Amino acid sequence: MTKKNPFRYFKTSPEIIRIAVMMYVRFPLSLRNVEDLLHERGIDICHETVRYWWNRFGPLFAREIRKKRLHPSSRNHSNWRWHLDEVFVKINGETHYLWRAVDHEGEVLETFVSRRRDRKAALVFLRKIMKRYGKLHVIVTDRLRSYRAAMKTIGNTEVQEVGHWKNNRCENSHLPFRRREQAMLKFRRLQSLQKFVSIHSSVHNHFNHERHLNNRATFKLQRTTALAEWQQLSAA
């Protein structure tokens, strides 16, 4: 069965679409910033075109990135230690909660948006992670009681760790999303927030080269490889 080309009805080159989506999702740029940067490269498009492209191809690229990354059963994703935390996000003046999970290396595992920060929301979030990545050894959380109540329901309270500064790994991982949120001038719909954070987490994982841990030669090699893989996404 031949794979359908998602760019078949578009006159614009797939390379231009990929770079526009990457610039908007990866960097804290507005739609008009991306329009101006592409104009400097001789590409004349409207900012609404950039909006349409990331809405159309962003989920497609994120899904392909997740498929190409090794499956948890192959031990690519460590189940040694997970860090869970929640972020307060305003949508039309109403507070919503973005639940985020990262592993001990800063890899974003899962994101989930809810209207409440109670046991039910925490339970949905935990089950969503464990369905994708399986069982784990340690869960590091803050002092929110909803985690404890949800883990009692699941039956794995013995793996929870709570302590001062222990969850800095997850709290520091919020910074790229916060910078992106500010550039987008907040969100207006819950569905838009859930859609964007899902795409953003996949793109962040793809271009996360652990620059502070590797030497210059290794970093340059990983950066070149990630960009080459991005340019081949959804290729016919």
Side-chain angles (χ1 to χ4, degrees):
M1 182 177 179
T2 59
K3 181 180 178 181
K4 291 185 178 180
N5 182 11
F7 306 102
R8 62 188 181 278
Y9 297 123
F10 292 81
K11 296 181 180 179
T12 310
S13 169
E15 289 76 13
I16 296 176
I17 296 177
R18 291 190 190 100
I19 194 171
V21 174
M22 181 191 70
M23 292 170 66
Y24 181 69
V25 177
R26 184 183 177 191
F27 303 108
L29 301 171
S30 66
L31 295 168
R32 288 175 173 81
N33 291 150
V34 177
E35 176 188 0
D36 292 339
L37 289 173
L38 291 177
H39 178 72
E40 293 178 3
R41 300 188 178 199
I43 304 170
D44 186 16
I45 60 172
C46 175
H47 69 279
E48 289 296 337
T49 303
V50 180
R51 187 198 306 275
Y52 178 77
W53 282 349
W54 90 259
N55 273 287
R56 173 72 180 267
F57 294 101
L60 183 66
F61 294 161
R63 192 181 311 115
E64 190 163 341
I65 289 173
R66 287 193 292 267
K67 285 183 179 180
K68 287 187 175 182
R69 299 183 75 84
L70 296 179
H71 193 268
S73 60
S74 62
R75 300 184 183 275
N76 182 50
H77 292 277
S78 174
N79 287 355
W80 171 50
R81 183 183 295 268
W82 293 350
H83 298 259
L84 276 58
D85 197 19
E86 62 282 348
V87 183
F88 293 77
V89 183
K90 289 280 189 178
I91 302 179
N92 293 329
E94 183 181 352
T95 302
H96 291 70
Y97 305 96
L98 171 61
W99 305 74
R100 300 180 73 251
V102 302
D103 65 7
H104 64 283
E105 294 180 340
E107 181 98 354
V108 182
L109 301 176
E110 192 61 70
T111 56
F112 172 67
V113 183
S114 67
R115 299 180 184 273
R116 298 183 180 276
R117 197 169 56 138
D118 54 6
R119 182 191 63 85
K120 183 178 179 181
L123 186 60
V124 172
F125 181 51
L126 286 170
R127 284 176 172 170
K128 191 175 182 182
I129 306 172
M130 297 177 67
K131 181 179 180 180
R132 175 173 292 184
Y133 298 102
K135 295 182 179 180
L136 71 162
H137 299 291
V138 177
I139 294 181
V140 182
T141 68
D142 54 18
R143 300 183 185 279
L144 181 67
R145 295 181 179 179
S146 301
Y147 289 117
R148 188 74 175 178
M151 293 173 73
K152 281 184 179 180
T153 304
I154 297 175
N156 59 351
T157 54
E158 67 281 356
V159 301
Q160 184 184 21
E161 286 188 6
V162 179
H164 202 37
W165 298 316
K166 278 191 173 183
N167 212 24
N168 283 358
R169 167 67 70 182
C170 191
E171 292 177 359
N172 290 335
S173 72
H174 300 331
L175 297 179
F177 167 74
R178 283 301 194 190
R179 288 194 291 265
R180 197 65 200 83
E181 178 192 23
Q182 186 176 6
M184 295 180 68
L185 302 178
K186 308 295 183 180
F187 296 91
R188 295 176 178 83
R189 295 170 59 240
L190 186 146
Q191 292 81 2
S192 299
L193 173 59
Q194 180 66 71
K195 180 179 182 179
F196 183 81
V197 295
S198 177
I199 299 171
H200 182 266
S201 61
S202 296
V203 175
H204 173 77
N205 291 338
H206 183 73
F207 289 102
N208 182 19
H209 314 303
E210 297 183 342
R211 188 171 189 164
H212 61 292
L213 298 177
N214 299 318
N215 56 34
R216 181 65 181 174
T218 304
F219 165 71
K220 290 172 65 176
L221 178 61
Q222 291 180 346
R223 181 174 60 182
T224 303
T225 303
L227 188 58
E229 291 177 351
W230 177 267
Q231 292 170 351
Q232 295 300 319
L233 290 178
S234 300

